[in-house]
Amino acid sequence: MTPGARIQAAIDCLDVIFDGAPAEKTLTGWARRSRFAGSKDRAAVRDHVFDALRCRDSYAAIAGDDSTLSARSVMLGLCRDQNLPMALLFSGEGHAPQPLTDEEQVWLDAGGTSTSESLARQCPDMQAWCFDKLQSAHPETAVAIAKALTSRAPVDLRANLRKASVAAAIAMLADDGVSAQECDVSNTALRIVDGARKVKNTKAYLDGFVELQDAGSQALIEALIGQVQVQGSMRILDFCAGGGGKSLALAAHSGTTLFAHDANAARMKDIPERARRAGVVIERLARNDLAKKAPFDLTLCDVPCSGSGAWRRSPDAKWRLSEAQFSQLIELQSNILSEASALVRPGGILAYATCSLFSEENEDQVTRFLKSAPEYEKIRQLSWSPLDGCDGFHLSILHRAG
């Protein structure tokens, strides 16, 4: 594909996404229909689409399209922001987008307008109600966080210390052409400098020496383990395990059999293979098994949430989330806390975690829970944001009276 054809493919995908389709599903469907597209083409189109979604409104403003929204205008804004040759890319040749209109050409020749550029600088690139919540939770840094969410997230790995040191993992990756360096967000974190798309084919990954995981997620697990002083004899439950990222990290640190549960069991399908690769033991539990295995010394609830702390990675989520869905998430989180709290032994620990930047899902949720559960007390509360060099996370560690 030519560079212009990649731009047109991105426009086509964005048209579908702007109509309400999920970005991942849209890109997968395009790739399946476009057998002519090679791996570099697919990667380039994906990058264009995700970059456009991260900065959707500001790119539209740069293109002078601040009242309506079109995929073409957003891509025009992207091309100008990234200093790409728009006249060449929008040529109408080789499946490239149609040539620039007279109006677009005038705008291009003028280098954009001061009004459009001013709008772009002020744009938070998220829904207004979401930005209001971000400002409420982070009054002094909301603008900086919103801008940080418009950039690409780094690719981080967790060194599996049961198999190799951080330095050894870096050396193994280098042998397969992947450059990584230590990341000070977490003692186990590696940040990819070059070769991110090669990671899953490296010996270090295939043999379980490293695992893909954001540095902030690793820092959360380190903080939890440091506070609780996890030991091999402890019974640990990851109540909302999903794909098992935090289960794997907990199991690697504790050296004990870890129990994993998720309301949607299909989300846990990859855990056995990931655990085998990492050299740890994780037992998946169905809902009916929870009471049989309880009580637990430590129960982690990494609850479903807005995902606002990870909107760099899933940028369409910040446009798809509705206020009604947000309210439903708040209720779901409350129900999960209530259910999971009953599985903790007296004297045990309940850990509540989100990848959200909003107080309603974090501090406020925990405060409500503590009012209804007097047997619990808060012993530590931590938060991370993209300004800390990682995704946004929250962790509350609660102790149940013995």
Side-chain angles (χ1 to χ4, degrees):
M1 296 175 67
T2 65
R6 291 171 174 176
I7 295 291
Q8 183 60 55
I11 291 173
D12 293 341
C13 289
L14 286 169
D15 276 331
V16 177
I17 294 167
F18 289 172
D19 282 339
E24 289 289 358
K25 181 178 180 181
T26 300
L27 286 164
T28 299
W30 171 80
R32 288 174 177 170
R33 294 189 302 273
S34 306
R35 300 297 182 184
F36 55 85
S39 60
K40 291 183 179 179
D41 296 321
R42 294 193 298 272
V45 172
R46 180 185 179 86
D47 285 346
H48 286 328
V49 167
F50 274 65
D51 285 347
L53 289 170
R54 291 186 189 98
C55 305
R56 190 194 75 177
D57 286 0
S58 59
Y59 284 163
I62 288 174
D65 183 12
D66 55 338
S67 58
T68 60
L69 183 70
S70 75
R72 180 181 171 94
S73 67
V74 171
M75 286 304 297
L76 279 169
L78 178 150
C79 289
R80 182 167 189 273
D81 184 65
Q82 297 184 0
N83 295 315
L84 301 179
M86 286 181 285
L88 295 176
L89 293 174
F90 288 76
S91 65
E93 300 176 357
H95 303 287
Q98 288 301 303
L100 298 169
T101 65
D102 290 342
E103 182 179 0
E104 290 168 345
Q105 189 64 62
V106 168
W107 158 78
L108 176 60
D109 291 341
T113 67
S114 59
T115 301
S116 67
E117 291 195 1
S118 177
L119 284 169
R121 284 195 296 270
Q122 298 172 26
C123 181
D125 277 307
M126 65 178 67
Q127 297 178 78
W129 68 269
C130 290
F131 187 64
D132 287 345
K133 292 187 181 300
L134 186 64
Q135 283 188 308
S136 177
H138 306 272
E140 297 181 358
T141 57
V143 173
I145 291 173
K147 290 304 179 185
L149 289 172
T150 64
S151 62
R152 294 186 188 183
V155 178
D156 296 334
L157 302 175
R158 175 178 57 80
N160 182 1
L161 299 185
R162 295 179 63 82
K163 287 193 169 187
S165 67
V166 171
I170 290 174
M172 289 184 68
L173 289 165
D175 287 341
D176 285 330
V178 176
S179 175
Q181 62 186 19
E182 295 184 25
C183 175
D184 59 10
V185 177
S186 165
N187 292 328
T188 57
L190 313 178
R191 181 148 293 172
I192 300 300
V193 177
D194 186 54
R197 290 193 168 97
K198 300 178 183 178
V199 167
K200 289 190 175 181
N201 293 321
T202 64
K203 178 178 175 59
Y205 179 83
L206 294 173
D207 290 350
F209 290 88
V210 297
E211 187 71 43
L212 285 161
Q213 187 174 32
D214 179 75
S217 182
Q218 298 179 54
L220 185 155
I221 294 298
E222 283 185 3
L224 177 58
I225 288 172
Q227 184 70 47
V228 179
Q229 296 182 347
V230 171
Q231 301 173 3
S233 60
M234 292 182 69
R235 294 170 57 78
I236 302 174
L237 170 66
D238 186 354
F239 189 74
C240 306
K246 291 183 176 63
S247 298
L248 289 164
L250 279 167
H253 278 285
S254 67
T256 186
T257 296
L258 188 128
F259 300 96
H261 166 75
D262 198 280
N264 183 349
R267 296 191 188 115
M268 300 191 294
K269 64 181 177 64
D270 294 332
I271 288 180
E273 172 56 24
R274 295 180 74 185
R276 182 203 62 76
R277 196 169 65 232
V280 298
V281 180
I282 298 176
E283 180 180 344
R284 292 176 295 174
L285 298 181
R287 187 178 185 84
N288 293 337
D289 297 326
L290 290 171
K292 300 174 186 177
K293 296 290 186 179
F296 298 95
D297 299 294
L298 167 62
T299 295
L300 169 63
C301 297
D302 182 15
V303 299
C305 67
S306 64
S308 49
W311 277 348
R312 294 182 298 178
R313 301 182 191 279
S314 303
D316 67 323
K318 65 180 175 179
W319 306 114
R320 292 170 56 80
L321 182 68
S322 70
E323 292 186 79
Q325 290 170 331
F326 185 75
S327 296
Q328 292 169 358
L329 284 169
I330 298 297
E331 182 178 357
L332 175 61
Q333 292 159 5
S334 179
N335 292 338
I336 289 173
L337 265 175
S338 178
E339 182 178 356
S341 66
L343 302 172
V344 179
R345 69 164 176 81
I349 295 293
L350 175 64
Y352 174 80
T354 75
C355 56
S356 171
L357 296 164
F358 301 148
S359 299
E360 291 92 334
E361 299 182 278
N362 298 334
E363 297 88 355
D364 295 352
Q365 186 70 267
V366 172
T367 297
R368 283 192 297 273
F369 169 74
L370 291 175
K371 288 180 178 179
S372 66
E375 70 274 24
Y376 278 94
E377 65 172 346
K378 179 176 63 182
I379 58 176
R380 196 177 186 192
Q381 206 163 55
L382 296 165
S383 292
W384 296 261
S385 86
L387 301 183
D388 296 309
C390 58
D391 287 350
F393 288 98
H394 173 85
L395 172 66
S396 286
I397 303 175
L398 313 176
H399 177 259
R400 184 174 189 177

